[in-house]
Amino acid sequence: MAMRTQTAALEADLDVPPRGENETAWLDQLALLDLAGAAVPAIPEALRATWAARQKSLRGRLRAQQALATGWRLPVHDREVFHEVSAAVLDVPFAEVSLRLSPAQNWGCQLENYLGGEIAVDVWDTDRRPVLVRERMVLGTPWYALGARDLDLSKYELISYASDSIRVNWTVTDSANDSVYRDDGYLLFRPWDGGERTLAIFNSVHHLN
C-alpha cells in the first residue's frame, strides 16, 4: 500500500495544465507547480520574460502572507478530473512544523470544511513520527462542486521526512457515500525565508461522483 500511495501521488507532479488563451493564468499555474518541484514544461522563448515576472509576483504575494490557489479540469478516460494546487506561508519555523502542527496526523483536521473523521497510524519511524497512516475524512462540499454531497473518503497517507521537506502523499481507497471517485496528491512543507517560516503546498488530482 505504501508503494501504491507514493505512485498515485506522483501523478499530481506529472500532470500539467493545458495552455489556453489566458497565458498569464497558465504561467501562474506552472509557477505554483514549480514551487512544489513538480514537472514543468519548457517555457516558450516568447513567454520567458513573462514567466520570470509571474514567478517573482507569486513569491512576493506569498511573502505578503497571501494564500494562492489555482486549478484546471482535464479529461481522464471517460471522466473529467479537477487538478487543484494551492500554496500558503505558515508563520511557523520549519524546524517546529512537525512538533507544533503534526502535519502528518492533523493537517486534514485544520481544513475549513472539515466535518469529522478518524485516524490510525500503521507504521512509525524510529523517531516515533507517523509514516503510514489510514484516515477517514468527511468534508463539506468544496467550492468547485456546489450542490454535491459532503465528501466521505477513506485514504492511505505515506509521509516522508527530510532535512528540507515533509511530504504527505495520499491516495483515496474508498468512499462510504460514493461521493469521491478519485483523489491522489500530496501536501508538501518546505522552509521559507531561510527556515524562519514554512511554505505549504497542496497538490491534488480528484474526481467527485
Side-chain angles (χ1 to χ4, degrees):
M1 183 52 69
M3 182 62 69
R4 174 183 169 186
T5 302
Q6 183 170 1
T7 301
L10 284 175
E11 292 188 18
D13 274 345
L14 299 176
D15 169 56
V16 297
R19 181 179 174 182
E21 295 181 3
N22 189 337
E23 291 184 329
T24 299
W26 180 64
L27 291 175
D28 284 349
Q29 292 166 344
L30 294 182
L32 273 177
L33 287 173
D34 186 57
L35 267 182
V40 173
I43 305 300
E45 181 69 33
L47 293 177
R48 287 183 184 172
T50 306
W51 163 248
R54 298 314 299 170
Q55 286 184 303
K56 182 177 179 180
S57 173
L58 179 145
R59 291 176 179 274
R61 291 165 63 189
L62 286 172
R63 289 192 179 92
Q65 296 289 80
Q66 296 181 32
L68 306 177
T70 187
W72 58 93
R73 299 181 186 277
L74 67 157
V76 176
H77 303 302
D78 61 338
R79 297 175 180 265
E80 184 180 63
V81 301
F82 186 72
H83 192 145
E84 180 182 4
V85 186
S86 59
V89 172
L90 309 177
D91 197 21
V92 179
F94 177 75
E96 298 181 19
V97 166
S98 60
L99 298 176
R100 291 183 52 184
L101 297 182
S102 299
Q105 291 176 274
N106 299 330
W107 72 268
C109 305
Q110 299 176 38
L111 295 174
E112 185 177 358
N113 58 338
Y114 182 80
L115 300 178
E118 53 190 356
I119 301 172
V121 179
D122 287 348
V123 179
W124 302 82
D125 70 6
T126 55
D127 294 319
R128 291 301 296 170
R129 297 176 300 188
V131 172
L132 186 61
V133 177
R134 286 176 290 119
E135 179 175 15
R136 182 181 179 186
M137 179 187 294
V138 181
L139 303 173
T141 305
W143 62 269
Y144 53 84
L146 293 179
R149 293 164 288 178
D150 291 340
L151 308 184
D152 189 336
L153 52 98
S154 296
K155 60 182 177 175
Y156 273 90
E157 296 180 347
L158 180 67
I159 304 94
S160 59
Y161 304 88
S163 60
D164 61 351
S165 67
I166 299 173
R167 177 163 163 153
V168 185
N169 299 301
W170 69 78
T171 185
V172 167
T173 56
D174 189 36
S175 177
N177 65 350
D178 199 33
S179 58
V180 179
Y181 172 73
R182 174 190 178 186
D183 191 333
D184 304 313
Y186 61 84
L187 178 65
L188 177 67
F189 295 92
R190 281 184 167 171
W192 189 257
D193 287 343
E196 293 300 312
R197 294 191 289 173
T198 300
L199 174 67
I201 300 176
F202 175 90
N203 189 6
S204 174
V205 178
H206 39 262
H207 176 88
L208 310 181
N209 283 329

